[in-house]
Each structure stands twice: as structure tokens, then as C-alpha cells.
Amino acid sequence: MRISKMFFKTYRENPQDAEIKSHKLMVRAGYIKKQSAGVYLFMPLGLRMLRKLCDIIREEMDKSGACEMQMTSLLPIEAYASRVEHFGKDMFRLFDRSGKELCLGPSHEEIFTNVVKDAVTSYKQLPLILYQIQNKYRDEVRPRFGLMRGKEFLMKDAYSYDVDKAGLDNSYNIMADTYKRIFNRLGLDFVIVNADNGTMGGDASQEFMVKSNIGEDEIIVCDCGYAANTEKAECDYHPVDNSGVELLNKTKRHTPKLKTVDDLAKSLGKVAKDMLKAIVYKIDGKRTIVALVPGDREVEETKLIRAVGGMNIEMASLQDIEDIGSVAGFVGPFGLHNCEIVADNSVKNMVNFIIGANEIDYHYENANLRDIHIDNFADIKKAQAGDKCVVCGGELRSIRGIEVGHIFKQNTRYTEELQCKYLDENGKSQYMQMGAYGIGVTRTMSAIVEQYSDEYGIVLPEEVAPYKVDIVIANMKDKDIVEAAETLYQSLLDKKVEVLLDDRADGIGAKLKDAELIGVPYIIVVGKYTSEGKAELVVRSTMKRELVDLADLAKRF
Ligand SMILES: [Zn+2]
């Protein structure tokens, strides 16, 4: 492609709303352009990179035996029956001219399942893995980071249908392997973490996280290979022998105007971990749960809801707290009613601790387990760096990651709801076992640029670069230089190398800046060495330059 003929525009300045480097660089390099908040269009270079990602994903999915289809984005709202409420305002809803309500698909579990239900009747037609690469729409409250979190984004979503759980395990493993191959081919440094399914049902779920400081998810990892997101990361519990410690009697203390756990502990000559912190939650709008953790730790709500059961968890209101016989800010686990009290396992090791007195501006110090009431102990605190690994006892670290893929077993969550059944070998009607597998394609594109860039611009691996080579003509007025560059360009085209020819009238400086910005792995400068039959070859990833015979250059690719 001749750049003079291309729709090509780069920018020296970062876009004002860009906070992360992939967003800045992709806009500056002319990959993407903002249409509106969270909505980006693809310019020629960006589209080429996006297509390469899609090609790799498609190749690996096809190789795995999955079958590509294409659903519609415009869908009747009824298609999402039970999830309209779940998606809430995230869903784009609209009406057609007859007044029928439609939406733009945020996810396609129901849509695929309905198609399968209509077409599949017998176990002989299973298993099936179906996929599509298609735009999804979610009205994000806070779209940000360019392609990282948008309202319109490209996704590869796949769904597997099997006769039984063993079949689902097999499909799930095939997808897990396929995802590993895809992200390896994309050159990404990633970890696979055990994730929580939330309220989606099903019993296994893993996320593919690209390591990055700007990642929105915190991941707990160990050198032994253990990795889990914080919603799932387990905390090790070992009983501590406190038999030598004298248990004191609890005494009530006036503790006014102390807003934080630290301030409170300090006023009593103690530290945060000597406080038994009580956080009150409402589960499914009905049950009130008092969660207890040491004062220096946080409650992990997802682990809590898994421990106590239920679908939705939210902070209790002031009224809810009054209703159990306490007062916000001073909750203590004694004398409460109409609530369940759940403590983290580590609370068992606490002695002579501080608790709320269920009275404004009062706490007890030197409380002990004998003074309080706990219904259940469970692992409900959030794991953090420095904790011990449950697998090997090593020290856990905390890193950040960008979620680019998610695979999960949904079992019969959708197939029961939509009555998606098949007849087994005995002619008995059974629900299909389903799995769902997603890759955020446009987000993955951002993640690649996050991992592959330097101070000059984007530095892409060959497999995803929009072009492999950029031939920069140093001086368009020098006939010999132009002729040598044209000859080289033609010979690379003949060899099917994806090559750009920078034949614009601009100066060499501007052309080189562009070449370094746009993510090509090789830059060839045809200029002052032409008379010696040579050109400069720059390997973009190392910025190493060498003089190469023009006659030999084409052979290098
Ligand atoms: Zn470990």
C-alpha cells in the first residue's frame, strides 16, 4: 500500500481524554477514532490489526471443531426473558415503527440456545460448539480507556451443548486449550485465574487475564502457579495457640468522634487488627447478615454470599441495622436479633479484642469469643498480598490484569429456562449441558498495545501487525532513491509481504516518526546509501539498524 494513496493520519498530541498508553497510541497512530463516549471507529491500520486478531481466533476456533455462525445484534427484548432485569440499564433498548420493543444484544446465551433447541432433537447431533465474532452493546456507566471499556465492542462468543456433564467438561477443556493457543499466538503475557461465577449458576469458571498495571481486576498469584481473582482467592486458616494468653474481662469505653478503625484502636492503645469489625449486609432484600473480620481486613462480598447463599448482596441500610438492635458504626455481635452472624475463620484466633457496643459512641475492649455470638465461621475475608498460599504455603502476591477471555460452565442454567432438550439413547428427554466462552476482541487489541509499545510508539509482533514492513523514501526528489524504493516495494509485493511504501512528499523526519509510531516490525529507509546499493533496515522492537544490500533485502522477508 502506498501511503500517499492511503487514508492515513497520525497525531503528535495525545487525545485529551486518554489515560492509558494503548488508548493514546491507538488514536495517535491512526488506528481508531472516537465517535462518541465508549464508541470508536476503526481507521485502515486499526481495522487491519483487528482483522488479524479475528483471523487468529477464527483459525484456532475452527481447528478446535467449533462452528462459526452469525446471530443478529438487533433482537426482540423477549429473547432475554429472565435477564432483562439483570442487564438493567446496561441494555440498549429501542422500539421499531410498530411499537415492538427491541434491544441490541449484550450477550447471546439465549439466542444460541433457542437456535439449538429448534434444530437439535437427538443425542446423535451432540456435542456442538458454536461461535460468532460480532459486535456487542452495553451501555456502560463509565466507558473509559478507549477500546478497553466501550459501549460497542467486538466479541468472540462461543457456546457448547453436550449430553452430560462429562461432555461439558470435555468441551470446556477444548475451549481452555484453544484460548491458551490464541493468547499465545497473540504474544500476550497472561495468567489463567479461577473466577467466581457470580449468580450465573454453573460450577467452573476461569478468566484469561493479561498482566498489566492498568488492569481493572486485582489477581492474587503465587509462584507455585496458583492464581485467582480476589472474589475467589482463598485465605489459608491455621489455628493459633492462645492458651498462654490471659482472657480479660470486657469493659465498656466511651469512644466519641473516632471515625476509622485505626483511630479507634489507637485511642485504646491497640492496633486495627485488635478490632473485630462488623459489616452488615442485606441478602436478596430479605436476610440481614452481620459479617465479622479482623479490623485490618476487608470482607469479600462474593465469598460471603457464597458462604451464606443467595443471589444479591448489598450494604444494609441504617434502618436495617436498627432493626437488628444496633446502630451503624457501633455494631457488635451480641444481643442482636433477626440476623445471621458470620465470622471469618481467622476470628477464631482473636483474643481481647474491641467490638462495637450497639450504642452510639461506645465500644467494648477486651471482648473474647465467649462474650459474643457467632452463627457460622467461613472464609469471607479478602485475600491480599503477603497472605499464605492455600496450595503451597508460599507468599501470595497481588498483580493487576485485563480480562480478555472468560470461559464457564453454565450447566443447565439456560437450557432449563428455555427448555432446550434432546432425546437420549433410551428416548428420554434431557436438558443439554451448556458452556459459554468469550473473548473481548477489541479489548484484546488494547491489551496487546499495552504490552507492546515503547517511547516512540506501538511495537507489534509480526502476527498482529497491520503491515510487516514500511519502506521510507528519504527524498522524493531524488530519482535514483525513488526508483530503488519502488523496485524494492514491487519485489516485496511479489513475495506477498505486507508492505507500506511511504511515498509522501514529507520530510524524512516526519516519515520516520510515523514509521516508529504505527506498529510495523520492520522499517527500511531508502536514502543516502542508495548510490552504494544499500538501504537501512531497522528492527522496530530493538531499534537496531543495519545496512543491507538492496538486492538482498527482499530475501530477508
Ligand atoms: Zn502457592
Side-chain angles (χ1 to χ4, degrees):
M1 183 87 211
R2 289 169 187 279
I3 294 187
S4 63
K5 297 274 191 294
M6 194 175 163
F7 187 30
F8 181 87
K9 166 100 182 126
T10 58
Y11 301 85
R12 297 284 165 252
E13 300 298 320
N14 289 318
Q16 282 192 341
D17 61 341
E19 298 165 68
I20 61 169
K21 62 183 170 189
S22 58
H23 184 189
K24 292 174 187 167
L25 286 172
M26 285 161 89
V27 172
R28 283 184 44 208
Y31 275 44
I32 57 171
K33 186 171 165 54
K34 185 174 174 177
Q35 178 65 59
S36 59
V39 184
Y40 286 81
L41 60 87
F42 286 83
M43 300 291 280
L45 286 178
L47 182 60
R48 278 183 79 97
M49 179 178 174
L50 184 64
R51 287 221 172 112
K52 298 217 159 166
L53 265 62
C54 292
D55 288 348
I56 289 170
I57 292 169
R58 193 170 275 126
E59 262 177 57
E60 294 297 338
M61 288 299 290
D62 290 349
K63 219 188 281 174
S64 79
C67 183
E68 187 172 7
M69 298 174 67
Q70 176 95 25
M71 299 293 157
T72 61
S73 292
L74 190 61
L75 290 154
I77 191 95
E78 310 87 78
Y80 289 96
S82 75
R83 283 206 296 170
V84 173
E85 209 174 301
H86 163 83
F87 284 116
K89 287 190 166 171
D90 281 355
M91 202 180 226
F92 281 102
R93 297 164 75 160
L94 60 156
F95 294 90
D96 74 5
R97 60 170 61 201
S98 71
K100 184 177 162 49
E101 188 168 11
L102 303 165
C103 66
L104 298 177
S107 174
H108 280 71
E109 282 81 353
E110 291 89 342
I111 321 306
F112 272 88
T113 303
N114 272 321
V115 173
V116 169
K117 172 189 168 177
D118 288 343
V120 176
T121 50
S122 160
Y123 70 95
K124 291 177 193 156
Q125 294 165 274
L126 297 173
L128 273 178
I129 303 179
L130 307 174
Y131 80 98
Q132 64 174 349
I133 300 177
Q134 183 220 38
N135 274 342
K136 297 274 182 274
Y137 298 86
R138 285 183 206 169
D139 195 359
E140 286 282 349
V141 184
R142 217 156 61 94
R144 62 199 292 234
F145 293 170
L147 298 181
M148 206 66 90
R149 183 176 288 282
K151 293 183 183 228
E152 178 182 83
F153 53 95
L154 188 64
M155 226 179 128
K156 187 287 301 170
D157 47 328
Y159 307 91
S160 67
Y161 297 88
D162 277 275
V163 294
D164 55 19
K165 283 193 171 185
L168 170 57
D169 287 347
N170 190 47
S171 295
Y172 182 91
N173 292 337
I174 288 172
M175 282 299 104
D177 287 343
T178 303
Y179 275 36
K180 283 180 216 163
R181 279 202 303 276
I182 289 170
F183 293 120
N184 279 326
R185 277 185 69 183
L186 296 176
L188 288 164
D189 182 14
F190 65 97
V191 284
I192 303 170
V193 308
N194 294 319
D196 187 83
N197 272 349
T199 51
M200 301 301 284
D203 56 11
S205 165
Q206 286 170 307
E207 288 168 353
F208 290 72
M209 298 281 214
V210 172
K211 295 178 193 168
S212 166
N213 290 334
I214 60 105
E216 295 187 276
D217 296 281
E218 187 184 353
I219 313 162
I220 301 294
V221 295
C222 177
D223 291 337
C224 75
Y226 178 81
N229 63 22
T230 49
E231 283 89 57
K232 179 95 177 190
E234 298 148 88
C235 290
D236 211 10
Y237 165 67
H238 288 293
V240 170
D241 181 11
N242 282 321
S243 56
V245 181
E246 186 192 354
L247 300 187
L248 304 173
N249 290 321
K250 77 174 173 101
T251 41
K252 199 171 185 176
R253 300 289 300 261
H254 190 221
T255 51
K257 295 189 186 125
L258 297 166
K259 289 287 172 219
T260 69
V261 169
D262 284 317
D263 290 345
L264 169 69
K266 209 171 153 192
S267 78
L268 299 173
K270 305 217 172 189
V271 291
K273 68 176 173 23
D274 299 322
M275 166 91 194
L276 180 58
K277 188 157 78 177
I279 314 284
V280 188
Y281 293 97
K282 204 81 185 170
I283 303 276
D284 297 336
K286 307 190 283 274
R287 296 155 62 201
T288 306
I289 307 282
V290 179
L292 304 175
V293 290
D296 60 339
R297 304 298 298 238
E298 302 299 323
V299 175
E300 173 45 62
E301 293 177 7
T302 313
K303 285 163 70 171
L304 175 63
I305 197 164
R306 203 160 47 229
V308 300
M311 295 283 280
N312 281 310
I313 182 162
E314 55 187 348
M315 299 297 284
S317 65
L318 298 180
Q319 186 61 49
D320 294 329
I321 297 173
E322 265 179 50
D323 290 347
I324 60 168
S326 188
V327 54
F330 304 91
V331 180
F334 64 94
L336 302 176
H337 46 80
N338 299 327
C339 63
E340 300 158 55
I341 302 175
V342 185
D344 185 69
N345 290 324
S346 60
V347 171
K348 289 180 205 166
N349 290 334
M350 291 178 73
V351 288
N352 300 329
F353 46 83
I354 306 163
I355 56 170
N358 296 322
E359 219 179 293
I360 288 182
D361 288 345
Y362 282 94
H363 283 88
Y364 280 101
E365 67 172 330
N366 296 326
N368 282 287
L369 292 177
R370 67 189 177 197
D371 304 317
I372 62 176
H373 171 78
I374 291 170
D375 292 305
N376 281 305
F377 287 93
D379 175 15
I380 60 167
K381 71 173 188 230
K382 188 175 161 189
Q384 63 187 36
D387 284 356
K388 293 221 178 325
C389 170
V390 284
V391 178
C392 75
E395 191 166 304
L396 294 175
R397 286 177 293 121
S398 160
I399 61 170
R400 302 205 72 82
I402 302 166
E403 182 191 334
V404 289
H406 195 171
I407 56 175
F408 47 112
K409 295 180 188 172
Q410 286 168 321
N411 302 97
T412 56
R413 153 81 174 82
Y414 292 97
T415 53
E416 275 191 48
E417 180 181 320
L418 301 169
Q419 294 296 304
C420 180
K421 298 181 185 180
Y422 69 96
L423 292 176
D424 69 13
E425 285 173 79
N426 305 314
K428 195 174 159 237
S429 183
Q430 306 257 24
Y431 290 116
M432 292 179 208
Q433 290 284 339
M434 183 176 168
Y437 318 91
I439 291 178
V441 185
T442 34
R443 176 182 288 188
T444 300
M445 194 167 151
S446 274
I448 293 172
V449 176
E450 280 298 321
Q451 287 195 341
Y452 287 95
S453 62
D454 63 14
E455 57 196 296
Y456 308 109
I458 302 171
V459 191
L460 291 176
E462 286 184 29
E463 199 152 20
V464 294
Y467 287 91
K468 189 167 175 179
V469 183
D470 183 3
I471 302 173
V472 175
I473 305 179
N475 183 358
M476 287 301 290
K477 289 180 187 141
D478 185 319
K479 260 172 61 188
D480 291 342
I481 290 178
V482 173
E483 200 184 302
E486 290 280 354
T487 308
L488 177 62
Y489 175 58
Q490 199 52 53
S491 59
L492 288 177
L493 282 182
D494 291 346
K495 296 188 75 173
K496 303 265 187 293
V497 176
E498 294 171 297
V499 56
L500 285 170
L501 179 67
D502 198 343
D503 57 347
R504 293 174 297 173
D506 305 38
I508 174 77
K511 287 181 175 181
L512 277 177
K513 273 210 167 68
D514 278 345
E516 287 162 4
L517 176 64
I518 61 171
V520 285
Y522 300 97
I523 302 166
I524 298 172
V525 185
V526 183
K528 60 186 174 188
Y529 301 105
T530 306
S531 54
E532 300 164 33
K534 291 179 190 293
E536 270 181 290
L537 172 66
V538 183
V539 179
R540 180 63 185 85
S541 58
T542 57
M543 285 301 246
K544 275 212 179 102
R545 290 159 188 273
E546 62 172 312
L547 275 182
V548 181
D549 283 339
L550 272 163
D552 293 339
L553 255 173
K555 287 182 215 145
R556 297 282 283 261
F557 297 98

